[in-house]
Amino acid sequence: MIKIDDYKPIVGEEIVEELFLIGKQLRGKVVQNINSTSVGGGVAEILSRMVPLLQQLEIDARWDVIKAGEKFFTITKKVHNALHGVELEISQQELDYFLEVNNNNANSMALYGDIIFVHDPQPVALAEKKNEIGRKWIWRCHIDFSNPQEKIWHFLKSYIEKYDAAVFSAPAFARELSIPQILISPSIDPLSDKNKELSEQEIKSVFERFKIDMSRPIITQISRFDYLKDPVGVIEAYKLAKKYVDCQLVLAGGSATDDPEGEKVLNEVKEKASGDPDIFILLLPPGSDFEINALQRGSTVILQKSLREGFGLTVTEALWKEKPVIASAVGGIPLQITHKYSGILTTTIEGTAYWIKQLIQATEYALKLGKNGHEHVKNNFLITRHLMDYMLTFISLFHEKDVVHLD
Amino acid sequence: MALNFYISVDLILLTNRKAKNLVELLDVIKSAPGSVIFYHTHRFLQQHHYLSPEPPNDFAYWTTNVLLERVIGEKLASVNIISYHTLTELKDKFVSILEEYLRDVKEIRDAPEGMEFHFMQSKSFILKTDYVAHNLREFYDIIKKLSIHSLYYHVFQSRLRLEKSDNDFSIWLREELCEEKLADSISRLDPYTQTLEGLRSKICSLVEVRLNDKD
């Protein structure tokens, strides 16, 4: 198990000491996390890392999961898509069933926390219980909320407003709400397989396996094959840049079996790339964290030319590896990249091609961007900062003023 | 009296207010509380404290890089934050720059969709550390190892957010140790034009010189 002290060599001893100092403020309080699944999915992954670390900071953090069946999750999948702006119909019967499952859980599960920390929309209506039992309630939204379908938003809003605070991952996700809204960016774990240090040999072995020439510049975009990640635009930008600089392109991402459009996008990408032996399209199986880590570390420039994005954790990962990153200014990416300081923000294919050329040729500048990007992630987007934000969120529930003096 | 060292850590709150052009930016700034102004003039300091020259305040950065309005962007970037003693004064300065510019401007440019300016505010939590200085030597030893969150609190936050007349170090050196000259030298350092590590090493050098003089 990862120990909180393992982060000291990475973030500095004083940061870990500060975490303990803040943690002291929460002694005697029980923090009860509630979500809809204990395995699989991003939230379960975050909680499986965060809860043990909070416990090591001597906070009584616990984690419970609601009970629900397939019918409920089919409905919540629709809710999830509707929150992403997809036009689909969710019937009143489906919403009633959603509430029934929430209500059953609210009545059957032990709600013992002094702070009840509910994650994502699935268990949102547990807060109906707040009037009866009191306590402090926080709702944490982990998903892109920038363009939700109005009807489903109004349905959820009536439950979200029962909480004491809501937490979002990017400024664009803020909504008209009567409760305080807190910004907590997601984070990466520098000790995970996807982000830990790799030896030169380990990196080389991955590139050799995929037959990519490490002696020539390599541009890489890591993302699933999805229109919103604009892989075709990436190929166009690469082709424009390649007229003037020698380079190879790697498009690597997970398979898209649950996405009916995925195969179509992949076919378009393959067609666009056909005939160019310097384009590598890598369909990686789940669990390819080591390969992704190596591909990012061995690349010259990393792209994230998304048309829409959540927070954009692949950008965080690339910045952490001291890579110069060219990305679109969408979702959470502008929080991570300050243009020309810690990376490059572009809006067009031509602009992306221009900066590919610049960064391949201006190696010193590319190096500086990479170093700044790494520092930025170190200070703002590692799991240690995430722990600090969670603790401050809990503490904030007990203090109303803008400036809080703690004992 | 001894100097107790504190740290300050911030939680970021979303205001759900945004601006797509300079008229809207001015409108929101006018009604914004001090915590919003503090956040947008100090975010880069907290998040990019390793960079020098550091990027300007958020208003200037957005105006220059998103609206591509270089002239007004430069004016907003040139606001000398160190010369303001309250957040209200600082806010008034941004308001006057924007009002003056908007009086003559013919065309208002909108930000591309999705690149609006989102207003945020900081909620600051201040905690006492175990460090206490009773004299100049102890002060020097602590400054050398102090966390940057503590340096940030005593130099930036205490002066502007808590509206003290000067940074905490200069006040203590002047009032408790009668080190007038050293206090003035530290006051004159512009913390907005250097990294926090650079600032720490400058304070250390000034104190070192004074300690050598005393020896």
Side-chain angles (χ1 to χ4, degrees):
Chain A
M1 188 176 76
I2 290 173
K3 299 267 187 305
I4 190 78
D5 283 351
D6 296 340
Y7 294 95
K8 282 183 178 174
I10 299 169
V11 297
E13 205 160 314
E14 71 281 6
I15 296 292
V16 176
E17 278 172 15
E18 284 176 6
L19 290 174
F20 275 102
L21 192 66
I22 301 285
K24 268 188 196 168
Q25 300 289 327
L26 291 160
R27 298 281 152 81
K29 300 256 189 291
V30 178
V31 179
Q32 183 181 13
N33 290 275
I34 301 175
N35 79 322
S36 63
T37 172
S38 59
V39 285
V43 178
E45 194 185 321
I46 292 163
L47 287 173
S48 63
R49 288 178 189 277
M50 299 285 273
V51 170
L53 290 172
L54 285 167
Q55 288 166 346
Q56 288 178 48
L57 292 168
E58 296 171 50
I59 293 168
D60 191 351
R62 306 184 205 178
W63 175 14
D64 292 295
V65 175
I66 56 165
K67 288 193 180 84
E70 203 177 320
K71 183 178 169 188
F72 177 77
F73 289 115
T74 307
I75 296 167
T76 57
K77 176 76 184 164
K78 285 175 88 173
V79 169
H80 183 95
N81 288 338
L83 288 172
H84 273 95
V86 178
E87 280 302 323
L88 48 82
E89 194 58 41
I90 302 174
S91 69
Q92 190 54 48
Q93 286 91 329
E94 287 174 315
L95 293 179
D96 289 344
Y97 186 73
F98 174 91
L99 292 178
E100 187 187 319
V101 172
N102 267 267
N103 190 37
N104 290 343
N105 275 282
N107 289 323
S108 62
M109 75 191 298
L111 293 168
Y112 52 79
D114 297 294
I115 296 159
I116 299 177
F117 195 12
V118 175
H119 299 262
D120 272 350
Q122 298 92 337
V124 68
L126 291 178
E128 286 267 55
K129 202 80 178 167
K130 189 180 169 210
N131 274 347
E132 188 187 318
I133 65 166
R135 325 287 173 78
K136 298 288 185 188
W137 291 67
I138 311 167
W139 184 65
R140 169 54 152 144
C141 176
H142 292 268
I143 58 177
D144 179 344
F145 229 64
S146 52
N147 189 27
Q149 208 190 84
E150 274 306 303
K151 189 181 158 198
I152 195 68
W153 164 242
H154 280 290
F155 170 76
L156 290 177
K157 185 180 174 184
S158 59
Y159 297 98
I160 295 167
E161 289 191 324
K162 292 185 190 300
Y163 286 78
D164 293 290
V167 178
F168 294 98
S169 302
F173 303 165
R175 316 299 310 167
E176 196 71 56
L177 286 172
S178 58
I179 57 170
Q181 298 179 64
I182 297 165
L183 173 68
I184 298 185
S185 304
S187 61
I188 58 165
D189 186 345
L191 299 174
S192 67
D193 284 346
K194 212 189 256 186
N195 297 301
K196 67 184 182 191
E197 286 288 335
L198 297 179
S199 69
E200 283 299 317
Q201 193 46 47
E202 285 173 312
I203 298 169
K204 219 172 130 193
S205 71
V206 171
F207 280 81
E208 276 172 359
R209 201 195 320 158
F210 293 123
K211 298 187 171 49
I212 304 165
D213 180 3
M214 285 192 84
S215 67
R216 294 164 58 211
I218 299 160
I219 306 156
T220 298
Q221 173 158 307
I222 307 282
S223 62
R224 64 177 193 275
F225 293 92
D226 180 329
Y227 284 119
L228 295 178
K229 310 293 177 188
D230 199 16
V232 172
V234 168
I235 296 175
E236 285 174 13
Y238 151 83
K239 285 184 173 173
L240 282 175
K242 193 161 179 158
K243 287 181 186 168
Y244 304 97
V245 289
D246 177 41
C247 54
Q248 305 161 89
L249 176 67
V250 177
L251 285 169
S255 68
T257 47
D258 62 339
D259 177 4
E261 269 190 354
E263 204 175 315
K264 198 172 156 221
V265 178
L266 187 59
N267 289 336
E268 274 181 45
V269 169
K270 282 181 178 165
E271 194 187 318
K272 190 89 188 166
S274 66
D276 187 336
D278 284 339
I279 300 179
F280 299 86
I281 296 162
L282 312 178
L283 201 56
L284 302 173
S288 301
D289 288 356
F290 168 74
E291 285 76 9
I292 290 170
N293 190 347
L295 286 170
Q296 288 171 323
R297 287 184 187 278
S299 295
T300 318
V301 176
I302 302 278
L303 298 186
Q304 191 61 54
K305 212 200 146 307
S306 305
L307 304 174
R308 274 191 64 191
E309 193 55 78
F311 183 75
L313 278 176
T314 50
V315 169
T316 328
E317 290 158 13
L319 293 172
W320 175 243
K321 288 152 192 150
E322 298 193 21
K323 292 295 155 186
V325 178
I326 305 171
S328 312
V330 293
I333 293 175
L335 290 176
Q336 304 185 55
I337 292 182
T338 300
H339 185 51
K340 295 188 192 172
Y341 286 95
S342 48
I344 299 297
L345 295 175
T346 59
T347 48
T348 61
I349 288 168
E350 292 77 8
T352 306
Y354 168 80
W355 279 107
I356 291 171
K357 284 185 290 180
Q358 292 288 327
L359 296 184
I360 288 177
Q361 294 183 115
T363 48
E364 283 293 311
Y365 180 58
L367 205 67
K368 179 76 183 157
L369 286 182
K371 287 203 178 307
N372 282 343
H374 173 80
E375 280 298 316
H376 188 44
V377 171
K378 182 175 140 185
N379 292 315
N380 302 290
F381 302 117
L382 292 187
I383 193 166
T384 40
R385 190 276 312 150
H386 207 157
L387 284 166
M388 175 70 88
D389 280 354
Y390 271 7
M391 291 193 291
L392 293 179
T393 300
F394 305 150
I395 296 168
S396 77
L397 298 172
F398 303 94
H399 301 273
E400 279 189 6
K401 288 186 175 166
D402 286 342
V403 179
V404 180
H405 292 266
L406 298 169
D407 297 331
Chain B
M1 222 164 69
L3 174 65
N4 287 295
F5 288 81
Y6 291 81
I7 61 160
S8 170
V9 277
D10 287 356
L11 188 65
I12 304 167
L13 302 187
L14 298 162
T15 67
N16 194 33
R17 299 206 67 182
K18 58 183 177 180
K20 65 172 184 296
N21 55 41
L22 290 175
V23 174
E24 292 181 6
L25 186 76
L26 170 64
D27 195 40
V28 184
I29 290 178
K30 270 183 173 171
S31 60
S35 54
V36 169
I37 304 299
F38 186 82
Y39 176 79
H40 289 294
T41 49
H42 289 75
R43 181 178 73 91
F44 276 126
L45 266 172
Q46 282 189 296
Q47 295 190 345
H48 296 265
H49 55 73
Y50 51 89
L51 285 181
S52 186
E54 73 203 24
N57 62 71
D58 285 352
F59 307 128
Y61 176 80
W62 181 74
T63 304
T64 308
N65 291 288
V66 175
L67 293 183
L68 305 176
E69 296 271 16
R70 288 183 57 191
V71 176
I72 178 73
E74 198 173 304
K75 282 188 181 171
L76 292 168
S78 67
V79 171
N80 188 17
I81 301 172
I82 189 73
S83 64
Y84 295 88
H85 294 288
T86 68
L87 289 167
T88 310
E89 285 173 26
L90 183 60
K91 174 168 107 168
D92 290 346
K93 181 64 185 171
F94 286 114
V95 167
S96 74
I97 290 173
L98 285 165
E99 279 180 342
E100 193 185 316
Y101 180 79
L102 288 169
R103 252 198 306 274
D104 303 324
V105 80
K106 302 243 174 352
E107 191 191 342
I108 302 294
R109 192 178 292 174
D110 281 351
E113 203 186 327
M115 294 173 80
E116 298 85 1
F117 188 98
H118 292 269
F119 287 85
M120 291 176 254
Q121 62 193 118
S122 27
K123 184 171 177 120
S124 303
F125 298 84
I126 297 161
L127 289 102
K128 203 178 194 175
T129 69
D130 291 336
Y131 295 123
V132 186
H134 300 86
N135 54 48
L136 198 56
R137 169 62 62 188
E138 287 179 4
F139 176 74
Y140 176 69
D141 290 340
I142 293 170
I143 291 286
K144 278 197 296 188
K145 59 187 175 195
L146 201 60
S147 96
I148 53 154
H149 290 135
S150 187
L151 196 64
Y152 173 80
Y153 168 75
H154 289 289
V155 175
F156 297 96
Q157 198 154 26
S158 175
R159 191 185 69 82
L160 198 56
R161 193 132 197 230
L162 306 183
E163 302 193 349
K164 293 188 185 173
S165 56
D166 204 341
N167 71 76
D168 279 346
F169 301 150
S170 294
I171 293 174
W172 181 71
L173 290 165
R174 195 177 289 123
E175 293 179 3
E176 301 297 330
L177 301 190
C178 299
E179 291 282 355
E180 196 75 34
K181 214 171 141 192
L182 179 59
D184 289 348
S185 306
I186 294 176
S187 286
R188 274 197 299 274
L189 294 174
D190 183 352
Y192 293 93
T193 55
Q194 50 201 317
T195 64
L196 283 169
E197 282 304 334
L199 184 67
R200 182 210 302 273
S201 80
K202 281 203 179 133
I203 295 174
C204 282
S205 316
L206 288 168
V207 178
E208 211 170 73
V209 170
R210 178 63 187 135
L211 282 170
N212 289 339
D213 284 351
K214 285 175 101 171
D215 291 344

